[in-house]
Amino acid sequence: MVDPYHFAPMSEHPLPTMIEPFKLVAKRALVDGPVELDSLPRLRDELANKTSQEGFAEVELAFQRDQQGFATASGYVRATAGVVCQRCLGVVSIPLEASVSWAFITDETAFEDVPKAYDAIMVEDEAVSLFDLIEDELLLALPPVPMHEEGECKAPDHQSHDEGFANGSEVKQNPFEVLAEIKKKS
Ligand SMILES: [Zn+2]
């Protein structure tokens, strides 16, 4: 996805919790490596298997200044998450993948100046929590109502799930839709 030869490799295992994005941009750093899902507590609360020691997210981020002068990071965050199927209440493994497009700003930058293609990330005192940002991306990638594929679900009425929703418990509102709205507005 990113040509590594144009970036200074900064592979660290494990990845640092906090980063200084403007320094990484100045170095054109490529930050990649695994992040333990257990170190992302808000995401872990959404997972079926909260004590999994083997779950890792894969992260690859290229830091660079864009043509308009914004300090940016682009790349991806992906993980496989075990969540509770809302039809049969069994565990379903779902791939989570988010394309990252961040523009780092300070309080001197007006939010409305940031191109819409970026999520604006406010940086105070030079540093931000990389783990918080990664966690936000994975939470937004979670489906609102996770379910098995047709044929893999153990729910007896999986052939007619529309009916199941009508008769069964109400569909839970995904709290992270709220977060998505906030991110869109910012
Ligand atoms: Zn199921």
Side-chain angles (χ1 to χ4, degrees), residues 85 87-88 148 153-154:
C85 168
R87 263 194 313 242
C88 71
H148 286 106
C153 194
K154 292 187 181 70

Side-chain angles (χ1 to χ4, degrees), residues 30-46:
L30 182 68
V31 172
D32 70 331
V35 171
E36 238 182 312
L37 297 183
D38 275 352
S39 59
L40 307 176
R42 288 176 294 141
L43 177 69
R44 195 183 48 201
D45 284 350
E46 300 299 314

Side-chain angles (χ1 to χ4, degrees), residues 84-92 146-149 152-155 158:
V84 175
C85 168
Q86 296 302 299
R87 263 194 313 242
C88 71
L89 302 182
V91 176
V92 54
M147 285 185 293
H148 286 106
E149 299 285 334
E152 290 172 26
C153 194
K154 292 187 181 70
H158 75 273

